[in-house]
Every structure is written in C-alpha cells, then in structure tokens.
Amino acid sequence: MESETVEGEVAAMLVEAVNLDIAPADIDPQQPLFGGQGIGLDSIDALELSLAISVKYGFQMRADDAQRHQAFANLQSLSRYIHTHRQK
C-alpha cells in the first residue's frame, strides 16, 4: 500500500533529520511527535524536520500554513501531508 510506503519513508527521514535513537519501524504512526507523551520533539526539531522535508520532497512547510500544526501531530498525519504536497 502506498500510504505505508510513504509512512516508512517519512519515518526514516524523521529519525535521520533529528537524530532519534529509535528505529523508524518502531515509531507508532499515531504517537504524537511533540510533547512529553510523544516522541518528544521540540521547536528546533520542527525546524530541522521542515528543512529535511524541503530538501527531500521539494516543498516548504510555511509557518503561516494553517495545516502545518495538524500535519506535525503524528507520523501518520505528516505522511499524509507530505504525500499530498510532494513534488519529488
């Protein structure tokens, strides 16, 4: 299924972009990316992740995009957002 492929690809990019000590396959797609109950990313990680998305997928996640906050909710929503907006 293509969504699973995109999700795995995004998980690998996430691990590499912010240097997580977790295997991409071990990331629960529903687990929050930010905050104490999630993976624990912070605002600097969000910037690094946005840059990695720009380089890898050919579009920028703009700060004024209303969907940006929702896109960063978890791996599943980020994967959907990237799949919809990707240019590469």
Side-chain angles (χ1 to χ4, degrees):
M1 179 179 234
E2 186 168 340
S3 64
E4 291 175 0
T5 302
V6 172
E7 210 167 85
E9 185 178 289
V10 173
M13 182 211 44
L14 171 65
V15 167
E16 183 177 329
V18 298
N19 298 314
L20 292 177
D21 285 335
I22 185 173
D26 292 339
I27 298 175
D28 178 352
Q30 298 294 320
Q31 181 180 23
L33 296 178
F34 295 87
Q37 68 213 23
I39 292 176
L41 301 183
D42 60 22
S43 59
I44 301 298
D45 294 325
L47 291 172
E48 291 176 356
L49 187 53
S50 293
L51 178 60
I53 289 168
S54 174
V55 169
K56 184 168 179 84
Y57 297 107
F59 73 93
Q60 292 184 350
M61 296 187 75
R62 298 175 45 103
D64 61 350
D65 184 348
Q67 295 177 334
R68 184 173 190 224
H69 187 265
Q70 184 178 10
F72 278 123
N74 57 45
L75 176 61
Q76 185 178 48
S77 61
L78 184 59
S79 299
R80 265 187 268 147
Y81 186 89
I82 287 172
H83 179 68
T84 301
H85 293 88
R86 74 191 300 172
Q87 296 175 6
K88 293 183 179 181

